[in-house]
């Protein structure tokens, strides 16, 4: 038991404590007022300060003045970006929602929103026109045709070009209605209208088309148009009549159709598991018991996008062991696939994976340059060729019809793709030689020579175009007869119309080294690195290769596909819906183009207050 404290201790402690308190009070009284913080005052001031900061940070701060015109402008941009119908602005639910946020908001009509859309279109189009006017090279167009329920054709024209900073750009330019899309000159009208609208008549380089809508007569008419707007080179090979994406979409669908019975069986098996919590629980429990290492999850495919079917088959194939044993733990499951059917799925997935990888490169945020496609294409050509001579009859059965269709694309676009990869300093002609030897065997030299001659012919066109105009020297003495002047070798003879040829010969004779193209091809290959900026390389080396760099930039921006990046896996035929078809043509064009253009806006341009709408005569 402890000892009780002495009462004197308490008394002494109390006196000491009182002395300390008195001393502390004296110190507080002697301190300046500014240094005597009041806790309550500080807390109050801090809360007030935070409240003021919140008010300043709140967009709806009461001190701001409501701007109806700016609000209408922002609603127009919202409609453009999200494909909302124009009549949403007259819907009471929308009006009530906006008024709940801003009671001063006045409802607007469809016509008012159309005016704002037109204003955004005109201002943004002017900026794009300025950009196109400054590009150092040429522009390549893609043509995609959609049809409405009224059988009207809508041609979507997209421009691909390299800007002054050597960056590849892709912009929707026009949506042109064709009353008679089956006409052989319908596409000529669309291309001419687009070039005139953007003042690019002399800048056209190539056209990329979608094969289902193109026949030989249409192609010949377009070649005639190109010969007017741009000198025809490479015997018309710069019209690409086969779309890269459409080709692989058709191949994927054909492959799936070849094995449609097995594919449907897999689909129903996945459906059985995914549409019931009980079934999925049994499936996952069985997977755990069997210790299947796959990390893939079963998914149901979307029949409008073939890549989802590919992913469904891949996941199911990795989980085939679970499906094969599922009937033992779940008697209601009666869709068990045989080993032969699972083998069919595996072979199908192998070829679909090649098609998927080839197309998926177009879904990225940056549109790829044309040099990257050759490596994908020649390897698929080789895979299909090997498949047709396989000892496995199932592989032959799947690949033979695919090879026949793919060879048509290879014949149409192989020369262009090989030319494009030659502009990549990591590969040049070496990859063409290597791949052609594997694809063509003994006939490889013939095809290599065609590519080599085609590239040199194209380069020669660029050399001629880069030459200064011929200089004609006149006799300073007017009395001297022209015949005497023609005999003097110091003057250029123009009687035979070959003055340009004389200038060209003089230019070539003055070259003390090999041509830029030959010099480039003979230099060592660059190391193969990921994320190589091929346009950046040509920008750095443009002083070394002034003519070849221009040719390279034009070739590298040639588009291989007419399909937009968000639709590369679509399987159905796209059509203009009834709502879009009911819009005025200029409104439809503005909505489509602006949705594309606005994604390239900078944060600075988004924050600017819209300038007044200025309507131009005969605008879109």
């Amino acid at each position: 038991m402890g000892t009780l404290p002495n009462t004197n201790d308490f008394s002494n402690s109390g006196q000491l404590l009182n002395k300390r308190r008195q001393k502390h009070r004296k110190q507080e009284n002697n301190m300046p007022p500014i240094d005597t913080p009041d806790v309550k005052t500080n807390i109050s001031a801090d809360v007030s300060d935070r409240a003021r900061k919140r008010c300043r940070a709140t967009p709806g701060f009461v001190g701001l003045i409501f701007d109806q015109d700016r609000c209408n402008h922002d609603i127009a941009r919202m409609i453009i970006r999200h494909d909302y119908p124009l009549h949403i602005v007259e819907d009471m639910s929308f009006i009530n929602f906006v008024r709940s946020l801003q009671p001063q908001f006045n409802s607007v009509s469809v016509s008012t929103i159309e005016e704002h859309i037109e204003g955004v279109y005109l201002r943004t189009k002017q900026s794009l026109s300025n950009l196109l006017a400054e590009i150092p090279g040429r522009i390549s167009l893609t043509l995609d045709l959609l049809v409405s329920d009224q059988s009207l054709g809508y041609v979507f024209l997209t421009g691909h070009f390299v800007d002054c900073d050597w960056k590849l750009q892709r912009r929707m330019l026009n949506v042109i209605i064709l009353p008679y899309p089956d006409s052989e000159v319908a596409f000529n009208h669309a291309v001419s209208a687009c070039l005139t609208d953007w003042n690019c008549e002399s800048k056209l380089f190539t056209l990329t088309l979608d094969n289902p809508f193109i026949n030989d007569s249409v192609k010949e008419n377009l070649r005639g148009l190109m010969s007017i707007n741009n000198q025809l080179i490479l015997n018309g090979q710069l019209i690409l009549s086969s779309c890269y994406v459409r080709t692989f979409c058709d191949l994927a669908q054909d492959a799936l159709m070849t094995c449609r019975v097995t594919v449907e069986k897999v689909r129903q098996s996945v459906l059985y598991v995914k549409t019931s919590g009980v079934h999925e629980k049994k499936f996952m429990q069985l997977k755990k018991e069997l210790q299947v290492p796959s990390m893939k999850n079963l998914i149901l495919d979307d029949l409008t996008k073939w890549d989802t079917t590919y992913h469904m088959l891949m996941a199911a194939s990795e989980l085939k062991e679970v499906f094969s044993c599922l009937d033992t733990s779940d008697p209601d499951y009666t869709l068990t696939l045989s080993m032969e059917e699972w083998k069919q799925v595996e072979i199908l997935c192998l070829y679909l994976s090649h098609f998927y990888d080839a197309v998926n490169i177009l879904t990225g945020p940056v549109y790829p340059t044309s040099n990257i496609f050759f490596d994908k294409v020649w390897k698929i050509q080789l895979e299909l060729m090997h498949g047709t001579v396989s000892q496995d009859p199932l592989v032959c059965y799947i690949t033979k019809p695919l090879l026949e269709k793919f060879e048509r694309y290879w014949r149409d676009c192989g020369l262009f793709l090989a030319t494009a990869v030659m502009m990549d300093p990591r590969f040049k002609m070496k990859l063409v030689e290597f791949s052609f030897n594997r694809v063509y065997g003994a006939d490889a030299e013939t095809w290599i020579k065609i590519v080599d001659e085609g590239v040199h012919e194209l380069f020669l066109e660029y050399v001629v175009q880069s030459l200064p105009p011929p200089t004609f020297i006149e006799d300073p003495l007017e009395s001297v007869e022209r015949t005497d002047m023609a005999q003097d070798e110091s003057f250029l003879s123009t009687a035979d119309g070959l003055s340009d040829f004389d200038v060209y010969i003089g230019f070539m004779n003055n070259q003390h080294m090999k041509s830029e193209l030959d010099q480039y091809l003979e230099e060592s290959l660059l190391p193969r690195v990921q994320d190589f900026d091929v346009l950046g390389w040509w920008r750095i080396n443009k002083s070394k290769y002034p003519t070849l760099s221009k040719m390279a930039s034009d070739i590298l921006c040639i588009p291989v596909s007419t399909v937009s990046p968000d639709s590369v896996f679509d399987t159905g035929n796209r059509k203009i819906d009834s709502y879009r078809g009911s819009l005025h043509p200029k409104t439809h064009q503005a909505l489509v183009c602006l949705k594309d253009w606005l994604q390239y806006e900078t944060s600075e341009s988004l924050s600017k207050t819209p300038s007044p709408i200025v309507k131009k005569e005969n605008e879109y």
Side-chain angles (χ1 to χ4, degrees):
M1 194 170 196
T3 306
L4 292 174
N6 193 330
T7 55
N8 292 331
D9 293 339
F10 283 114
S11 177
N12 293 335
S13 298
Q15 292 175 3
L16 181 61
L17 181 60
N18 288 333
K19 289 181 180 180
R20 288 179 178 175
R21 286 175 178 172
Q22 290 174 3
K23 183 179 179 181
H24 183 64
R25 289 194 190 99
K26 286 182 180 180
Q27 290 176 347
E28 287 181 343
N29 292 334
N30 293 331
M31 291 175 68
I34 193 170
D35 293 328
T36 55
D38 186 334
V39 176
K40 292 183 178 179
T41 303
N42 275 355
I43 293 175
S44 177
D46 185 55
V47 170
S48 177
D49 184 58
R50 287 201 301 268
R52 282 195 297 271
K53 288 181 179 180
R54 282 199 301 270
C55 288
R56 287 195 296 269
T58 303
F61 181 51
V62 70
L64 295 179
I65 299 175
F66 174 64
D67 186 341
Q68 178 73 47
D69 192 63
R70 179 56 190 255
C71 181
N72 295 344
H73 173 80
D74 290 339
I75 290 174
R77 296 170 69 91
M78 178 189 71
I79 289 173
I80 293 165
R81 287 184 179 277
H82 301 287
D83 294 324
Y84 295 144
L86 295 179
H87 56 261
I88 190 177
V89 297
E90 297 179 348
D91 183 81
M92 282 308 302
S93 298
F94 174 78
I95 295 171
N96 291 335
F97 169 72
V98 179
R99 283 180 177 168
S100 69
L101 302 175
Q102 175 50 261
Q104 299 179 50
F105 173 75
N106 294 317
S107 60
V108 295
S109 64
V110 170
S111 59
T112 300
I113 289 299
E114 284 181 326
E115 290 179 2
H116 280 275
I117 291 173
E118 181 180 359
V120 178
Y121 177 82
L122 294 178
R123 288 187 291 269
T124 314
K125 181 181 180 182
Q126 185 59 54
S127 299
L128 181 54
S129 295
N130 297 339
L131 177 63
L132 288 175
E134 296 172 355
I135 63 173
R138 306 185 188 184
I139 184 170
S140 293
L141 295 178
T142 61
L143 283 73
D144 197 13
L145 178 66
L146 276 69
V147 181
S148 70
D149 292 333
Q150 293 78 27
S151 298
L152 293 175
Y154 288 74
V155 178
F156 291 71
L157 294 108
T158 306
H160 299 248
F161 55 93
V162 174
D163 64 19
C164 295
D165 296 324
W166 287 77
K167 299 296 183 183
L168 179 61
Q169 302 290 344
R170 176 185 182 274
R171 296 291 191 281
M172 178 71 69
L173 298 180
N174 293 94
V175 180
I176 296 175
I177 296 181
L178 301 179
Y180 306 101
D182 295 331
S183 169
E184 294 180 354
V185 295
F187 285 95
N188 284 45
H189 164 72
V191 173
S192 297
C194 176
L195 295 176
T196 302
D197 189 26
W198 294 94
N199 297 318
C200 291
E201 292 91 342
S202 62
K203 292 186 176 182
L204 178 63
F205 188 45
T206 64
L207 296 174
T208 303
L209 315 170
D210 192 3
N211 198 46
F213 306 110
I214 304 302
N215 55 40
D216 291 339
S217 297
V218 171
K219 283 193 286 188
E220 289 305 316
N221 286 327
L222 287 171
R223 282 175 179 160
L225 175 66
M226 288 191 69
S227 67
I228 297 173
N229 291 279
N230 181 26
Q231 188 171 7
L232 190 64
I233 50 181
L234 295 180
N235 297 318
Q237 291 299 310
L238 293 185
I239 291 183
L240 305 181
S241 58
S242 295
C243 172
Y244 179 88
V245 167
R246 301 284 191 199
T247 298
F248 284 110
C249 179
D250 289 345
L251 290 172
Q253 291 188 86
D254 287 352
L256 290 169
M257 184 58 64
T258 302
C259 307
R260 59 187 177 276
V261 175
T262 302
V263 171
E264 183 59 28
K265 201 169 181 180
V266 173
R267 182 180 291 117
Q268 292 302 320
S269 295
V270 174
L271 187 66
Y272 177 85
V273 173
K274 296 296 292 183
T275 55
S276 169
V278 176
H279 296 166
E280 188 167 18
K281 185 177 181 180
K282 290 181 179 180
F283 185 88
M284 297 305 295
Q285 181 63 33
L286 182 59
K287 175 187 174 183
K288 184 177 180 180
E289 292 174 0
L290 295 173
Q291 298 182 350
V292 177
S294 174
M295 300 300 293
K296 290 188 179 296
N297 295 318
L298 292 177
I299 61 167
L300 284 171
D301 62 335
D302 178 355
L303 296 181
T304 65
K305 293 185 176 294
W306 68 264
D307 64 313
T308 62
T309 305
Y310 161 64
H311 290 307
M312 179 189 72
L313 295 174
M314 280 291 294
S317 180
E318 289 193 13
L319 296 167
K320 62 179 181 293
E321 187 178 355
V322 185
F323 278 110
S324 298
C325 299
L326 185 58
D327 58 346
T328 59
S329 60
D330 188 351
D332 294 333
Y333 177 72
T334 58
L335 299 167
T336 305
L337 279 75
S338 66
M339 294 304 296
E340 186 67 22
E341 288 173 322
W342 281 119
K343 179 184 176 182
Q344 193 177 90
V345 172
E346 290 177 356
I347 294 173
L348 183 58
C349 285
L350 172 64
Y351 291 100
L352 288 178
S353 67
H354 295 314
F355 305 154
Y356 174 82
D357 292 341
V359 174
N360 195 49
I361 57 179
L362 285 163
T363 62
V366 179
Y367 200 87
T369 48
S370 59
N371 58 299
I372 70 170
F373 296 99
F374 179 79
D375 190 52
K376 298 287 184 183
V377 170
W378 82 264
K379 288 179 179 177
I380 292 176
Q381 171 79 2
L382 192 64
E383 285 285 345
L384 293 176
M385 289 175 60
H386 288 169
T388 58
V389 295
S390 171
Q391 298 297 318
D392 190 330
L394 181 58
V395 173
C396 293
Y397 176 71
I398 293 175
T399 55
K400 277 187 177 179
L402 300 181
L403 179 62
E404 293 176 6
K405 179 169 288 189
F406 189 74
E407 283 184 332
R408 291 198 293 270
Y409 177 79
W410 179 257
R411 287 193 297 269
D412 287 341
C413 301
L415 174 59
F416 153 66
L417 295 175
T419 303
V421 82
M422 288 178 65
M423 297 298 103
D424 189 330
R426 298 171 299 172
F427 301 111
K428 302 182 182 180
M429 196 68 184
K430 299 302 181 183
L431 182 59
V432 177
E433 294 169 353
F434 171 76
S435 58
F436 277 20
N437 274 295
R438 298 191 66 184
V439 172
Y440 294 113
D443 297 329
E445 285 300 320
T446 301
W447 291 100
I448 293 171
K449 183 178 179 181
I450 291 174
V451 174
D452 184 67
E453 290 178 349
V455 172
H456 279 81
E457 180 184 348
L458 179 59
F459 177 70
L460 185 60
E461 293 286 346
Y462 275 82
V463 170
V464 171
Q465 293 173 16
S466 66
L467 294 177
T471 302
F472 299 96
I473 305 175
E474 296 185 359
D475 193 339
L477 301 176
E478 294 291 335
S479 61
V480 179
E481 295 182 359
R482 297 287 181 178
T483 54
D484 293 334
M485 197 170 82
Q487 294 175 358
D488 193 333
E489 292 183 358
S490 64
F491 296 98
L492 286 175
S493 174
T494 61
D496 58 0
L498 292 176
S499 59
D500 287 348
F501 176 72
D502 295 332
V503 175
Y504 168 70
I505 293 299
F507 175 84
M508 297 304 292
N509 289 336
N510 289 330
Q511 300 300 303
H512 301 295
M513 59 181 65
K514 295 180 179 180
S515 71
E516 291 177 25
L517 176 59
D518 290 331
Q519 180 183 351
Y520 163 76
L521 293 176
E522 291 179 6
E523 289 180 348
S524 301
L525 301 180
L526 293 184
R528 295 193 304 278
V529 295
Q530 291 294 101
D531 301 323
F532 177 69
D533 183 4
V534 64
L535 286 174
W537 187 88
W538 281 106
R539 176 180 58 82
I540 294 172
N541 290 273
K542 65 180 180 179
S543 58
K544 183 178 181 180
Y545 305 110
T547 302
L548 185 60
S549 63
K550 293 179 181 178
M551 183 177 105
S553 67
D554 289 339
I555 290 175
L556 291 170
C557 74
I558 296 177
V560 300
S561 171
T562 66
V563 180
S564 60
D566 58 344
S567 302
V568 296
F569 293 110
D570 290 357
T571 56
N573 293 324
R574 292 178 300 143
K575 295 185 66 176
I576 298 295
D577 58 44
S578 57
Y579 166 69
R580 290 283 180 171
S582 67
L583 295 174
H584 190 282
K586 71 174 186 178
T587 303
H588 183 210
Q589 176 173 257
L591 290 170
V592 172
C593 291
L594 280 171
K595 185 177 182 182
D596 177 70
W597 298 346
L598 293 185
Q599 64 180 309
Y600 302 103
E601 279 193 329
T602 61
S603 56
E604 291 80 6
S605 62
L606 287 173
S607 63
K608 291 180 180 178
T609 302
S611 56
I613 298 174
V614 180
K615 295 184 180 180
K616 297 181 181 180
E617 186 179 0
N618 297 328
E619 277 289 354
Y620 78 110

